[in-house]
Amino acid sequence: MQSPTPLLDRITTDPRILAGKPVVRGLRISVEQLLKALAAGQTEADLLAEYPELELADFRAVLLFAADAVQGQRVYRLGVG
């Protein structure tokens, strides 16, 4: 299994690219865009055909980045009344 650090190195931010949103390898393909496409049912194969500059490892990086983003979130139930 590949260490998570090299995968996360594939996700970059630059204020000059998409206003600093996290993107894949400096491309104008955002983490958000790929997550929404995958959630909508597009497959990795579909997206690789649409964006030939992507690589399979980019999808793993996007998913790991998203997992890390929500890792520390906690939900607390508030009592009513």
Side-chain angles (χ1 to χ4, degrees):
M1 184 171 151
Q2 187 176 10
S3 168
T5 301
L7 278 178
L8 289 178
D9 288 345
R10 290 175 168 269
I11 306 301
T12 61
T13 58
D14 182 331
R16 298 167 296 179
I17 300 173
L18 294 181
K21 282 188 169 203
V23 297
V24 175
R25 293 182 291 115
L27 303 169
R28 293 187 175 277
I29 303 170
S30 71
V31 168
E32 175 186 8
Q33 178 183 353
L34 291 177
L35 287 171
K36 285 184 176 182
L38 291 168
Q42 285 190 272
T43 65
E44 291 175 350
D46 294 335
L47 293 166
L48 287 169
E50 189 172 342
Y51 304 103
E53 60 272 36
L54 289 177
E55 300 170 1
L56 279 175
D58 295 328
F59 295 101
R60 292 194 313 273
V62 163
L63 294 172
L64 181 59
F65 183 87
D68 282 356
V70 298
Q71 178 179 3
Q73 290 186 1
R74 300 287 181 255
V75 177
Y76 298 98
R77 188 173 183 175
L78 300 177
V80 177

